[in-house]
Amino acid sequence: MFNSDGRLQVIRAVAGLFLFLSLLSHSYGAEGPAAPTDLRCEYLSNPLGIDVREPRFSWVLHHAARAQGQTAYQVLVASRAEGLERDAGDIWDSGKVASSDSIQVVYAGKRLANGETYYWKVRYWDTAGNASPYSAAAQFEMGLLSRDEWKGQWIEGDMLRKEVTLDGKVVRARAYVTALGYYELRINGEKVGRNVLDPAWTTYPKRVLYTTYDVTRRLRSGKNAFGAMLGGGWATLGARFFDPEVGPYYKAPALLLQVNIELEGGKTVSVASDGSWKASKGPIVSDSVYDGEVYDGRREIPGWDQPEFDDSQWSTAQTAEGSQGVLSAQMMPTIRVIDSMVPVSLSNPKPGVYVFDMGQNMSGWVQLRVEGPAGTQVTLRFAELVYSDGMIDRQNLGAAKARDIYTLKGEGRETYEPHFTYHGFRYVEVTGYPGAPNLDSLRGRVVHTAVGTVGSFVASKQILNDIQRLIHWSQLTNLFSIPTDCDQRNERQGWMGDAQATAQEAMMNFDMAAFYTNFIRDIRDAQFPDGSVPDTVPRKYGGVPGDLGWQTAYPLLCWYMWEQYGDRRILEENYDGLKKYVAFLRSHAQDNIYRLHWEGDWVELAHTPGDYIADVWYYYDVSLFSRMAQILGKSAEAASYGQVAAQIKDALNRTFFDAKSGNFANGTQTANAMALFLDLVPKEHRNAVERNLTDDIVYAHNTHVTTGFIGVKFLMPLLTSMGRSDLAYELATQTTYPSWGYMVKRGATTLWELWQEKTGPAMNSQDHIMFGSVGAWFYNALGGINLSPESVGYQHIRIAPQVVEDLTWASASVDTIRGTVSSSWTHSPEFITLEVAIPVNSDGQVVIPTEEQMTDVVIREGDRVVWENGHYVSGDPGLTGATREGRNIIFQVGSGTYSFRLTAGE
Ligand code: BGC
């Protein structure tokens, strides 16, 4: 596209702009600390309806100077915004707390009350003891903290309504709403909120999540109408798809709602779902997550969600037992319509059959725009693929009908979007359209859980950017309140293996903290009494107990939450559950070997024995548990589980290692990579095993992977830790089969389920995230952004970009819980530049690799020389030292932005 100088200029310009913008947005004081930003309470900026009695606060610090941190903080929590403005924390004034904690600070004020809104802000003292200004105020609000607060009953019906007269001005109103299935809440003729496919799918009999809406402005003095449409969602889906044992949770969807209203003068009114509501059939003829929605516009009931509607013909809503499980606040981003897509082309492969191409495999649905006679039926069928004749290919959808059918009202221009289904598709076949549709007749609606994007990765090699784009799409389209395997066929399940394999990638790209917090609780809810956990959560599919590569999601996700977000509470809350899980593993192991397995290295090309893989997981899980015990201060348990892990390691070596050949199990890439990654290999054999692994990749397979998605997660970071990022890079940029690049070259816009392009209809999803684990390697290895060993929550950061082969630049940044960490480098035979940002209250090591031919190097930071004649040159603010380790020169840096330039000696 442009020459290397041009690239350099672009990078510089981007970096400069970044700096300029951050200066602008943080309004630095002359030299001192600036007000904290990005205030979070339980991982959300302004959460409405949380049910954590002692929520945790996190904030991001800013400072004009380098090497700055927090020596103390003060948090104020107030019951009124005005109080906070006067710096009065009537609910909690932490006082000046001497602490460097700027994340996960646990609330310690007065008991937080049901439904109350609180306002909070924070300031900090820097390393010199200067106080920052207070941050802007953020708020959080408590939900309904106990079941007793819920006054309503579960009620059933397609469309439900209730009219209420309020005699006074409404000063505050909150709607707490949930459903077994999906709901759309309407007040006085309008949809409330932007959530779709709400609430999250949970193991409903154990737990249902409610959403809180501020509906103050929707209510008025006088008559008000509340309405709800219900869909079956995951609650009623089943009979055709699942074993009876895990079949439909319920026969019909149900609603539970409560609106708490405060009127002027202090009077309070509660509107709750109960037998006084009215019910009717509505325009939705049928709805199913897998099959789609059938909607008859002629059955719409105008005005049903408005006051003064005559519902005398409606029946009385049926109360239902519903779920007696825990009602928990939904404290994570919800599913939303994120974007609209214009189709890129339209074809007419057969008379009356129109096929729209969205240009991108996506999750969601389409908005249909149509005009025609009443009763005309338009059918939309969704597909990821097309045949060569242009007709849609739906062989890979399994039993999912994946279609929406709309019957026209015949009242001029009509638009239709389904309410309670979603599809995974790139192509939409339209039949029955009155007249000929054009590109304006459809709009793609991109739908998924609305997690924020926190990461970016770009590099000079286009194929990497293409793969990154596929990962982005595959990851997002597989977030539907739980992490799913795919979004199109009759699965879309919380397959735990897929979840654990890709969680690290997901956490670099997106703000996953609240999402995984919720999912980990889902896992806990799905845990069996014997301590094992299922293959899928909530449990619908898979083996019982799950394969260990799937069950391991329980300890691994907890561990990643600890690493990425410094979340100690998640370790505390799951300690007992994990202990039970480990006990289950131990009770099924014989002579320290756990052999039970189903999936093994799923979708592998070279088979690795499943009992070996299971046993490696066993070792991994027990060692992690021992480390968690240590972190929580349970030293005796840590030691005893550490011993168990050591015994498993011995048994693994005795049983699966062949010292003669230097191979674990049958010596596949997966077998040796897992052993090396987990440091199972006796020291004296490490070189041999490493050589076997790289020989297998390079010579036996012409630099291609043979792993499934389990093996590849280990393989890429392992190669980097072995000093073979060059080889990992070749795998990552490979474009022949099997590789990620092959998918790109074959026109994929999301990652496939298999390395193979097409094997047969059954397992041929075009949108699986599980191979997306390589995305973490992009950030860690090519971008160079890593946690320092033993550090969590980005307190200590290691910037160590792997400057490889023909890659001339790479740029990565992640908005971590402590602030933005970024690393951008350029490389030519004569120089290396590296721009780094370390957040305030963090520090780092910056590892600058030298080229072999660069015997005597000079490194400048800005315009100061910081390394010369083989030594560190002190004096640059923020740097505290540097050493050479092999070919790397490693700088110790405090917070701030740095611009290193390494040149061959002059
Ligand atoms: C899913 C996978 C899953 C696997 C395990 C498949 O059908 O799509 O992603 O991990 O089953 O059995």
Side-chain angles (χ1 to χ4, degrees), residues 74-78 84 87-89 92-95 119-122 134:
Q74 182 171 19
V75 173
L76 299 180
V77 180
L84 199 65
D87 296 345
W92 187 36
D93 180 346
S94 71
Y119 304 84
W120 74 285
K121 62 184 184 181
V122 59
Y134 271 110

Side-chain angles (χ1 to χ4, degrees), residues 38-47 50-59 73 75 77 92 101-109 112 120 122 138-142 331 512-518 520-521 524 558 561-574 632 817:
D38 302 282
L39 271 58
R40 286 162 169 239
C41 171
E42 287 302 300
Y43 293 128
L44 297 168
S45 28
N46 283 311
I50 64 171
D51 58 359
V52 177
R53 289 271 186 191
E54 292 171 357
R56 294 160 301 170
F57 299 121
S58 302
W59 52 91
Y73 67 80
V75 173
V77 180
W92 187 36
D101 293 348
S102 54
I103 63 168
Q104 314 290 8
V105 170
V106 178
Y107 173 80
L112 297 170
W120 74 285
V122 59
Q139 45 179 291
F140 63 96
E141 184 174 309
M142 303 310 281
M331 289 191 291
M512 299 300 292
F515 185 88
Y516 285 132
T517 302
N518 184 73
I520 289 168
R521 187 172 60 185
R524 226 164 48 225
C558 292
M561 286 295 295
W562 165 243
E563 283 191 333
Q564 286 290 317
Y565 307 112
D567 192 333
R568 187 190 168 88
R569 186 176 279 179
I570 217 127
L571 301 186
E572 286 164 356
E573 284 178 353
N574 290 285
L632 297 180
I817 191 158

